[in-house]
Amino acid sequence: MPLLPAILSCILLAFATLAAQEPAKVEKPEAADLLARHVKETGGKEAYLAIRSSRIKGKVETRAGRDLAGTLEVVFARIDVVKEGGKKEERLCYRLLLDFGDDLRVEQGSDGKVHWALTSYDGARLVSDDEARANLVDFDLAAAARPKDYYEKLETRGKVMVGKRPAWEVEVTRRFGARREFMRFDVETGMLVGTKIIEASENGDIVTSSEILGWREFGSIRIPDRTRDRGPGFEQSTTFDSGAIGPDLKLEDFAPPAAVKKLLDRPAPDPVREG
């Protein structure tokens, strides 16, 4: 029956032509729904919103011009401060310590009023309110469950591959900060599998991508415990191996170090007189 293959071939060609003329449309899920599903799959909104403080410790290995290995600690807390008249004010406090020993030491912190950064190579500096607010989303474990606090806009861009897994990519516009950021959610599990960040510089855009390699139970939620970051000329692996949700933290735990206090104690410059 030599005619059958010919007929079948014609039918397949016709379908292929139609498919080329009318490509299948893939419905993109709403970005807010993708974020909400991630929150649900990793503990649920109530569990996230109950977090008032956290401390996470881990190890970092960086391969760039030379290999470095160090430790990482990230601390965050919402602390109620009683002001004059008995009125309460909630302060969002954070502290980060990245320690590579004699090679490099990086610190960032805020007590909700004073924001600062300190490195072993260029000393201490004060950080603006906007920069500190932009940093908060990276330290607050509950940020994904508080999108209105941190994000101005979320928009689903389409599908991308992260490793060997398809993921929905969501462009994120933070309420503070100018960098472009993308979250990537696993199509099957709904969980975050990576991010991409684009930051402008004098030499053009700097693109950094991060891939989540594993998760662990952390109190009532799940957090990434292994990540791999890649950027121009470097690769970094981070492993979070210990920590706690709900540690008893006080405002004094976020006090700026001595080098930052010296900046605060400097007298204000005299006003310039005209004429």
Side-chain angles (χ1 to χ4, degrees):
M1 301 176 61
L3 191 59
L4 185 58
I7 295 174
L8 182 59
S9 180
C10 290
I11 293 173
L12 291 175
L13 179 61
F15 275 110
T17 303
L18 287 173
Q21 292 174 346
E22 299 181 10
K25 294 183 179 180
V26 178
E27 291 293 331
K28 292 189 295 186
E30 292 292 328
D33 294 337
L34 289 168
L35 187 62
R37 185 185 175 196
H38 163 76
V39 168
K40 179 181 178 181
E41 296 294 338
T42 55
K45 186 173 182 178
E46 289 187 6
Y48 274 101
L49 296 183
I51 298 173
R52 298 285 298 177
S53 62
S54 60
R55 184 192 304 273
I56 307 174
K57 297 181 180 181
K59 297 180 178 64
V60 180
E61 293 182 358
T62 300
R63 289 167 289 282
R66 57 178 175 146
D67 295 348
L68 296 174
T71 59
L72 172 69
E73 182 177 21
V74 182
V75 186
F76 174 85
R78 295 174 176 270
I79 297 177
D80 291 328
V81 177
V82 180
K83 302 177 68 176
E84 291 184 11
K87 186 177 180 180
K88 283 187 178 181
E89 173 189 67
E90 183 182 66
R91 292 198 192 179
L92 305 185
C93 308
Y94 64 84
R95 191 157 188 163
L96 173 143
L97 172 59
L98 181 59
D99 190 355
F100 290 103
D102 294 335
D103 294 303
L104 176 65
R105 184 181 173 95
V106 177
E107 295 183 62
Q108 293 182 32
S110 172
D111 64 0
K113 289 293 184 182
V114 177
H115 327 297
W116 50 271
L118 175 64
T119 66
S120 56
Y121 54 87
D122 63 2
R125 69 179 178 90
L126 297 177
V127 169
S128 69
D129 287 347
D130 283 354
E131 184 179 348
R133 292 189 185 105
N135 289 339
L136 279 170
V137 68
D138 298 319
F139 301 122
D140 185 357
L141 292 181
R146 300 175 181 270
K148 292 182 180 180
D149 291 353
Y150 294 112
Y151 306 126
E152 190 72 33
K153 183 181 178 182
L154 299 168
E155 183 177 358
T156 306
R157 287 300 187 184
K159 279 186 181 180
V160 297
M161 296 299 293
V162 179
K164 296 181 179 180
R165 300 189 68 86
W168 290 110
E169 184 172 74
V170 171
E171 183 166 5
V172 177
T173 303
R174 296 190 182 192
R175 292 187 62 194
F176 303 94
R179 73 186 190 186
R180 293 185 68 195
E181 183 175 350
F182 301 83
M183 294 180 180
R184 293 163 167 178
F185 299 95
D186 190 294
V187 171
E188 182 180 345
T189 69
M191 294 165 61
L192 188 70
V193 289
T195 61
K196 181 175 75 172
I197 294 171
I198 303 175
E199 294 192 85
S201 75
E202 295 179 355
N203 299 318
D205 289 343
I206 298 175
V207 181
T208 305
S209 62
S210 178
E211 183 179 357
I212 296 173
L213 303 176
W215 292 80
R216 65 176 292 171
E217 300 294 331
F218 192 66
S220 56
I221 64 171
R222 299 173 70 191
I223 65 167
D225 67 349
R226 289 181 295 121
T227 63
R228 180 170 58 219
D229 305 315
R230 290 190 175 101
F234 87 94
E235 181 175 315
Q236 178 173 293
S237 298
T238 304
T239 302
F240 295 106
D241 50 25
S242 64
I245 285 181
D248 184 17
L249 297 170
K250 299 178 175 58
L251 199 60
E252 301 80 59
D253 295 317
F254 298 92
V260 176
K261 289 180 179 178
K262 287 182 180 180
L263 297 179
L264 298 172
D265 293 338
R266 286 180 183 175
D270 293 332
V272 178
R273 295 181 180 179
E274 298 182 359

